Amino acid sequence: MAPTRTRRLAPGGSIDAHRHDDHQIVYAGRGVLTVTTSAGSWVAPATRAIWVPAGTVHAHRAYGELDLHLVGLPVTENPLGLETPTVLAVSPLLRELLIAYTRAEDDDRPERARLRAVLLDQLRASAQQPLHLPTPTTPLLRALCDILRADPADSRTLAELGHLVGASDRTLSRLFRSDLGMTFPQWRTQLRLHHALILLTERTPVTAVAHQCGWSSTSAFIEVFRRTFGHTPGSHRTE
């Protein structure tokens, strides 16, 4: 059963791979959370939650002090009809509902039932966010992606990286689309955003984050971050 409760994780804390017979909503009210499956990883700061469908084997990892709010839903109740892990936008109202619902005693009071109904209504209105970093299955892409995971600031072109793994940029471009469902620039941007969220949670200055994640300038990083998360990196560091 997927629990409904609040749990704290210390920086670097984790929950090993497991599965539930229920759906689960996972929300970090503080810190940054990653959920990892065999298909990739999803990252969520305090403005995002992660939907984990029933039966999905997944693991959690905390970056920064993490307040983890967990909501279990029966397999028959899927407000958004989602069959894969998905990052959802969390409005200020939905944030308060998630915190209140997971901290209150789990009982059959009418007040709790009404709270749950409003929470589900807000979930149905939540926008899905493209914050998935897929894991490649082909050996060529695994080798290339491992190079970039080791150093997200690596700015070499696909052709230059192709020389290292023994494939042309045309072959690699085709593999990115067929294996990962995105282009090479899209995947690298997702990798850099994931890394940026972790660095910001560790209180790394914004300029240093931009440099360590490979953006050409701090202003370029701020713009991509703002378009993706709806706020600037500086405001994220104060959450």
Side-chain angles (χ1 to χ4, degrees):
M1 298 288 290
T4 296
R5 62 189 177 104
T6 298
R7 177 173 177 178
R8 284 203 166 170
L9 290 178
S14 62
I15 300 174
D16 293 338
H18 61 286
R19 64 179 294 280
H20 305 293
D21 291 332
D22 305 321
H23 302 305
Q24 190 174 54
I25 303 156
V26 185
Y27 173 65
R30 180 174 58 154
V32 168
L33 167 74
T34 61
V35 170
T36 302
T37 75
S38 60
S41 60
W42 290 257
V43 63
T47 55
R48 302 291 185 267
I50 301 177
W51 170 266
V52 182
T56 303
V57 178
H58 61 287
H60 303 304
R61 183 172 175 82
Y63 295 93
E65 293 283 349
L66 194 72
D67 289 340
L68 191 60
H69 301 277
L70 304 167
V71 177
L73 293 175
V75 69
T76 55
E77 195 161 14
N78 191 332
L80 293 171
L82 298 170
E83 302 301 329
T84 58
T86 306
V87 176
L88 304 173
V90 173
S91 66
L93 176 56
L94 180 54
R95 170 187 168 84
E96 296 306 318
L97 289 166
L98 288 167
I99 291 172
Y101 190 71
T102 55
R103 285 182 175 168
E105 184 178 350
D106 194 359
D107 55 35
D108 296 327
R109 288 178 303 161
E111 295 86 350
R112 184 166 176 81
R114 289 193 293 269
L115 180 62
R116 185 179 187 276
V118 177
L119 190 155
L120 292 178
D121 280 343
Q122 287 298 303
L123 273 178
R124 293 184 184 96
S126 296
Q128 299 176 35
Q129 304 293 314
L131 296 175
H132 174 211
L133 186 68
T135 298
T137 59
T138 60
L140 276 175
L141 280 194
R142 281 202 301 268
L144 186 152
C145 291
D146 284 346
I147 292 171
L148 295 179
R149 286 181 187 274
D151 180 15
D154 191 329
S155 61
R156 282 177 289 188
T157 66
L158 191 56
E160 291 170 330
L161 292 167
H163 286 304
L164 297 178
V165 299
S168 69
D169 56 344
R170 179 174 297 180
T171 296
L172 292 170
S173 291
R174 185 174 67 251
L175 286 174
F176 266 99
R177 292 181 182 277
S178 62
D179 190 6
L180 303 182
M182 59 177 61
T183 66
F184 170 63
Q186 288 171 333
W187 189 91
R188 179 150 64 179
T189 297
Q190 291 288 74
L191 172 67
R192 289 174 170 177
L193 285 170
H194 280 218
H195 191 53
L197 284 171
I198 293 167
L199 291 174
L200 290 167
T201 300
E202 296 169 348
R203 303 295 176 181
T204 307
V206 172
T207 299
V209 173
H211 174 72
Q212 292 178 38
C213 293
W215 268 278
S216 58
S217 66
T218 303
S219 60
F221 164 57
I222 291 172
E223 178 58 23
V224 172
F225 193 96
R226 185 191 60 75
R227 287 203 312 265
T228 304
F229 297 108
H231 57 83
T232 65
S235 61
H236 174 83
R237 292 177 67 243
T238 64
E239 290 175 357

